[in-house]
Amino acid sequence: MKKEKKQQEKVKKTKNYDKGQIFVKVMAGILAILMIVATASSLIYALMI
């Protein structure tokens, strides 16, 4: 009985996401996309000259 409750609590804890952790991942993704776009635009600009 006690083991089943502990297992259920572990499952519940793994499904909860920290809002700060999600924010950090979203911001990291946005910054990565901006870096790729900036690099690509710099390369295109350099090849056009």
Side-chain angles (χ1 to χ4, degrees):
M1 197 81 174
K2 289 182 181 179
K3 289 182 181 179
E4 291 176 4
K5 287 184 180 179
K6 287 182 181 180
Q7 288 176 351
Q8 289 176 353
E9 288 177 4
K10 287 181 182 179
V11 172
K12 288 181 183 177
K13 287 182 181 179
T14 56
K15 290 183 181 179
N16 291 339
Y17 293 103
D18 186 20
K19 290 180 183 178
Q21 188 179 13
I22 294 172
F23 177 75
V24 168
K25 288 184 180 184
V26 169
M27 288 302 294
I30 291 171
L31 289 174
I33 291 170
L34 284 174
M35 287 190 293
I36 292 169
V37 169
T39 304
S41 62
S42 296
L43 180 63
I44 291 169
Y45 180 76
L47 291 175
M48 289 176 64
I49 294 178

